[in-house]
Amino acid sequence: MKKIVSLALLLTLVFSMTACGQIMQTETDADGNIETSTAAEGAQEGEEAAAQESAATDTEEETTMKAEFDFETKTVILNSGYEMPINGLGTYSFHGDECINALKSALSSGARLIDTASAYGNEEEIGQAIREAIDEGIIRREDIFVITKIYPGSEMKNPEQSIQACLDRLNIGYVDMMLLHHPDDNDVKAYKAMEQFVADGKIRSIGLSNWYVEELTEFLPQVDTVPALVQNEIHPYYQENDVIPFIQDLGIVVQGWYPLGGRGHTAELLGNPVISAIAEAHDVSSAQVILRWNLQKGVVVIPGSSNPDHIRENTELYHFSLTEEEMERINDLDRGEKHDWY
């Protein structure tokens, strides 16, 4: 009889909970005691868990999203939200009229990405060439992307002064991207100064040059802004096949300097029989093959040349593509052979 009464009370309680939009679930523990829970509570907990899992997934996707090159527009969208050309002109060692003429030739040939640095000593010529090109109707300021850098030592020790000096020498309004040229004892301080210039609207994006896995692992937790770009030496004899994916997985775009091998090494690289054979198969130059190889690896290229024909050729990279087999043949050329000290 007691069991019947208990059962009746339990049924009454179940009906009561159902009327309130809840369903009671019962379980018996090891001692025979009845434990109760509601389906509504379980559903709510399930929904909360699903929401948390979804949020975690979204966050993970956001932090690991790689930038994709658009070969139709010849650009990539940086994590800062700005669009950057994926091929351009490096200006190391250019000075005076040679620098001005090379830059205007590049702009006339369709190049829209210009790389310079305080250490190159040519920011004034770069700015003059850009202003002349604008006045001559070759380009508009908003059509080009200008990168410059500040150097370790006194420049990073006094970053606000050094950054402003770059802006003043270029004299083109804002700078599209500023990089720290190398790691330094004051690099975090200098980077935070660049962040403030971004907040002030004088710089649009910021990044690093000559930072590798170890340096990035130590540096990134100390700053608020994930770099939009990391610029390193990259060419078929020094491919950084472990470094490039590491950087890209952080949502950072990789840019390669010395893409054609650099001072004293270009002729050997362009004459490599593997690269020459691939070039012949596509009826293009060895330089174009190397630059296209970089682009297909997701590496922005900034070859340097003052020869108008070479400058034009270095922009004509989108009418052919390399096969996977050709990419692998070039990948097999890696020697781990760095051509500069940093």
Side-chain angles (χ1 to χ4, degrees):
M1 184 65 180
K2 289 182 179 179
K3 290 182 178 179
I4 294 174
V5 172
S6 298
L7 181 58
L9 288 172
L10 179 58
L11 290 172
T12 301
L13 180 58
V14 168
F15 294 147
S16 174
M17 296 295 288
T18 303
C20 295
Q22 299 176 339
I23 297 176
M24 180 74 71
Q25 296 178 343
T26 64
E27 295 180 358
T28 303
D29 65 14
D31 296 327
N33 298 316
I34 296 176
E35 298 179 343
T36 64
S37 64
T38 67
E41 291 173 347
Q44 183 177 357
E45 292 173 357
E47 291 172 358
E48 291 176 352
Q52 292 173 354
E53 183 178 354
S54 176
T57 301
D58 291 344
T59 300
E60 184 178 355
E61 289 178 352
E62 289 175 2
T63 57
T64 59
M65 186 175 294
K66 295 181 182 180
E68 298 291 338
F69 285 9
D70 187 328
F71 284 88
E72 292 187 6
T73 63
K74 307 172 186 177
T75 61
V76 62
I77 302 298
L78 302 169
N79 62 23
S80 59
Y82 290 99
E83 188 175 51
M84 184 181 75
I86 56 177
N87 71 282
L89 180 72
T91 64
Y92 177 78
S93 79
F94 292 174
H95 298 282
D97 289 340
E98 179 190 36
C99 180
I100 294 171
N101 294 335
L103 185 52
K104 292 178 70 174
S105 176
L107 295 173
S108 297
S109 296
R112 294 294 179 263
L113 172 63
I114 308 300
D115 179 79
T116 183
S118 173
Y120 299 171
N122 61 12
E123 287 173 311
E124 291 183 355
E125 292 102 313
I126 296 292
Q128 178 181 337
I130 290 172
R131 291 191 302 274
E132 289 181 6
I134 292 173
D135 291 341
E136 293 168 17
I138 298 173
I139 55 162
R140 299 175 300 171
R141 173 63 185 92
E142 58 268 28
D143 294 332
I144 61 171
F145 195 103
V146 180
I147 301 175
T148 193
K149 317 173 192 74
I150 61 171
Y151 205 73
S154 62
E155 289 193 355
M156 290 195 197
K157 189 174 182 180
N158 303 287
E160 292 83 4
Q161 177 182 338
S162 304
I163 294 167
Q164 187 59 53
C166 289
L167 293 168
D168 292 342
R169 286 190 293 267
L170 284 165
N171 190 24
I172 52 173
Y174 59 90
V175 167
D176 298 275
M177 169 106 50
M178 183 167 285
L179 311 177
L180 301 185
H181 210 141
H182 301 283
D184 181 73
D185 290 341
N186 290 301
D187 52 22
V188 172
K189 173 184 176 181
Y191 195 86
K192 290 181 179 294
M194 292 198 304
E195 288 178 320
Q196 185 57 53
F197 274 77
V198 171
D200 294 340
K202 297 180 179 181
I203 299 173
R204 290 191 166 179
S205 303
I206 55 178
L208 305 167
S209 183
N210 304 301
W211 252 261
Y212 300 90
V213 174
E214 182 178 350
E215 291 86 353
L216 286 167
T217 301
E218 179 182 351
F219 181 83
L220 293 180
Q222 302 181 70
V223 298
D224 296 326
T225 305
V226 176
L229 182 84
V230 170
Q231 182 191 101
N232 288 338
E233 178 181 347
I234 300 171
H235 48 76
Y237 291 163
Y238 188 74
Q239 298 188 18
E240 292 197 3
N241 288 322
D242 56 339
V243 180
I244 292 172
F246 175 83
I247 296 172
Q248 292 173 334
D249 285 345
L250 295 170
I252 302 170
V253 171
V254 177
Q255 186 178 79
W257 53 264
Y258 275 2
L260 302 179
R263 297 189 303 269
H265 302 277
T266 300
E268 178 191 356
L269 187 56
L270 295 183
N272 181 281
V274 171
I275 294 172
S276 297
I278 295 173
E280 184 177 355
H282 290 277
D283 193 25
V284 296
S285 70
S286 291
Q288 287 171 306
V289 167
I290 294 170
L291 297 176
R292 178 73 194 198
W293 168 78
N294 272 283
L295 293 179
Q296 289 184 211
K297 288 167 71 77
V299 176
V300 178
V301 289
I302 47 171
S305 177
S306 59
N307 182 308
D309 292 334
H310 292 167
I311 291 172
R312 183 179 63 257
E313 179 183 283
N314 291 343
T315 67
E316 297 171 346
L317 309 173
Y318 303 95
H319 62 291
F320 73 102
S321 62
L322 304 179
T323 66
E324 290 185 11
E325 186 266 343
E326 289 169 335
M327 292 290 292
E328 285 302 319
R329 288 167 64 191
I330 300 175
N331 289 344
D332 289 341
L333 299 177
D334 191 13
R335 303 175 178 174
E337 182 179 288
K338 221 171 184 308
H339 291 164
D340 220 321
W341 65 270
Y342 35 72

